[in-house]
Amino acid sequence: MKHFFIGLCTTLLVSTAAFSQTKNYKEHKVTKGETAYSIAKKYGVSTEEIYRLNPEAQNGVNENAVIKIPVKGGQTVAPVVKNTAAPKTTANDVKIYHVVEAKETVYSIAKKYEVTVESINKNNPDIEREGLKIGNTIIVFASKKFDKTKTTPAVKTAVASAKYHLVEPKETKYGIAKKYNLTVEELEALNPEIKENLEIGQNLRLNKNTPVAATSVKTPTVNPATVQYMDYQVQPKETLYSLTRSSGLSQEQLLALNPQLNEGVKIGMILKMPSTSQFNQINPNKELVNISQTMNKSESKELVLLLPFHLDKIQSDSTNTVQERLKKDKFLNMTLDFYAGALIAIDSAKTMGLPLTVKILDSEESKNSSAVASLITKNDFSKTDAVIGPFFQNHVETTAALLEKYNTPVISPLSNERGRPYSNLFQAMPNTLDVKKKMFDFMMAKNGNIIAVIDPKKGSSKQYITENYPSVKIAEISDKGVPTLENVKSLMDNTRMNYVILESEKTGMVLSTCNILVTASSTYQVQLVTLEKNETLDFEEIPLSKLTRLKLLYPSVSRDNEAPEAEIFAKVFKKKNNIFPNRFATRGFDVTFDVILRLFQDGGYKESVNEKASEQIESKFNYANIDGGYYNKGVYLLYYDEDLTLKEAK
């Protein structure tokens, strides 16, 4: 590992040197009344170029502030030339206005509309002179036979004549302003109420001559004669607000359909909902596929890794050698293990012939600080297809916020915090509560009788279970601090599987509970359950024979894999690093390889996440969209089988 780290330092020094070369720019002192838009117009550059060099300018520019203006070859960037050429068309063509989105190319747009690249360039001569620019509207003449339903939301009609804009879910002020060729400051000036917060359903003014809308809330119309309904069971943590968002109904409409909601939202309630409702749950029919078999190699992709190496600190450390630092610094060791696994994934992509460019940046992060903002300012992320990292939740959220304007997917590889949702943030590590929910969903789907044996000192566990799953039966604990056979058996059901949740790390209580359940298993169907891996169960005092007899069941974010591909990974890693991979190295491979394979799916990373679940060496990736953010629900349920092996519960 020492030699690996020295090589890493050399590689990153070269990479960092190449990366930290900033583009030429000139400085401009903001005068009274100036906006980012007016400054961009003055120098003949786009607001996006201003924001890229000055991320803070997205929140407005202050008088006397000094901002950077991009220049090329010592000259200010040439102003955008409007396309005045008359589009060429035929009687069999239909005229479509397309607003260019981040990462789109002329080729991808041509493919979308089933036209040639030459026809797009011919009808939009500015493209050949200046290139394709995000936010520009181009003209496409497609065949009248072209099916518009195959296009994505990026296909828009001309918007210049619009006077109002109704705010939809996931929209941002920046995105709306860009859509109508406005700056955020101009949009806020027209709609002062959005300075503090932009809300779904607000009706925004788009020019000064537009009167203020009489109402700013959109109330969907529900026609009982045409709408089909379904029954929906309220899940833990759901609220009236989340139900309105999921159903597409207003609060008044939801209460009219379900009068019982007037008394509050309660877990287990059966509600009448439109069949078109989109609830924040995993699509149970999402296909688990081998995404390495469905790749499209026609376009190159760029991946950036933001990892906390802290090279500057290491190089300036005159007290400790690299070897000594590796012995002391657990966080650095974890980073290097993750990175070593990621390198195997990158090498595998090259072996598969994928046109992938990878850039490594030192995020220099600790719990409270990072170099993320500086790195994004200094480097061009406009063409980056995905970012893996940083490690800490607060820094990965900062990264997602800064790259949201490019709609660049940011993958959080290690944090299991729920965090703030962003439309471009993907939490690759399942959340602790989601892990527990997976276990309860399984037991309830099996129509199990659920009993909980809870250590009196585990107050938070008892509160979680009683608040979220009130149907669970809580076993009594005697004065000796253990459950009793009579009480536990009195809670059992001889017609169903009895799942007994054990929440304790005390050896005596664990052993006593196991003995009780083994005795009860002669009369009842019994299975021992823990809501997380319990190390106490590995102690010698707890016989493995009892755990296998009770088929101990627990949730896990990883699995043991003895498949050929897992053995190959372990051998390759051992050959390169002289040690076998630990869990962080395997995690580095799994996250990185999954991201790479998804980048090369038709539709790209985000569409792949929405449509497909996948599995790598030890991890499953099955993302759900919750409140606008993406969270991995890929959890394994594992049990001890009688043949002394771990198996996955189905």
Side-chain angles (χ1 to χ4, degrees), residues 99-305:
V99 180
V100 180
E101 299 286 341
K103 302 183 184 66
E104 283 192 310
T105 64
V106 177
Y107 173 79
S108 67
I109 296 171
K111 186 177 179 182
K112 184 195 301 284
Y113 295 106
E114 300 174 3
V115 299
T116 64
V117 171
E118 291 74 17
S119 68
I120 292 181
N121 288 331
K122 188 175 182 180
N123 289 290
N124 302 272
D126 286 356
I127 293 177
E128 292 185 312
R129 290 197 302 267
E130 303 165 6
L132 207 59
K133 295 182 180 294
I134 298 171
N136 277 8
T137 300
I138 66 172
I139 297 170
V140 181
F141 287 95
S143 169
K144 286 184 178 179
K145 297 179 181 179
F146 176 72
D147 183 4
K148 290 184 180 181
T149 62
K150 293 192 295 184
T151 63
T152 67
V155 181
K156 304 178 178 70
T157 56
V159 296
S161 61
K163 294 182 179 180
Y164 291 105
H165 176 85
L166 194 65
V167 179
E168 299 290 341
K170 303 180 187 177
E171 285 193 306
T172 64
K173 287 188 283 187
Y174 174 79
I176 296 169
K178 184 177 72 173
K179 179 178 179 180
Y180 295 100
N181 294 322
L182 298 171
T183 65
V184 172
E185 293 87 348
E186 290 169 332
L187 189 65
E188 289 178 340
L190 290 167
N191 305 275
E193 69 276 11
I194 69 171
K195 285 187 177 181
E196 296 298 326
N197 189 34
L198 184 69
E199 296 182 358
I200 299 169
Q202 285 180 309
N203 221 7
L204 305 184
R205 300 171 67 198
L206 299 175
N207 58 53
K208 293 180 180 178
N209 297 324
T210 303
V212 177
T215 178
S216 62
V217 179
K218 178 173 70 173
T219 303
T221 301
V222 178
N223 183 352
T226 59
V227 176
Q228 294 183 336
Y229 293 94
M230 66 177 184
D231 288 337
Y232 175 73
Q233 186 174 27
V234 175
Q235 302 297 309
K237 305 294 183 183
E238 287 193 301
T239 64
L240 191 60
Y241 172 73
S242 67
L243 290 171
T244 59
R245 291 191 64 183
S246 301
S247 65
L249 302 176
S250 68
Q251 184 171 316
E252 293 75 15
Q253 291 170 331
L254 191 62
L255 292 172
L257 284 173
N258 303 278
Q260 67 270 36
L261 286 173
N262 285 297
E263 299 178 3
V265 178
K266 299 177 182 178
I267 299 169
M269 262 184 180
I270 304 298
L271 303 180
K272 186 178 181 181
M273 292 288 195
S275 58
T276 55
S277 300
Q278 296 182 348
F279 293 98
N280 296 330
Q281 299 175 338
I282 297 174
N283 175 7
N285 299 316
K286 187 181 286 188
E287 189 179 4
L288 181 63
V289 298
N290 182 357
I291 54 178
S292 66
Q293 302 299 316
T294 55
M295 293 184 296
N296 184 343
K297 304 178 184 179
S298 61
E299 293 186 19
S300 61
K301 303 293 180 180
E302 179 180 283
L303 173 66
V304 173
L305 272 63

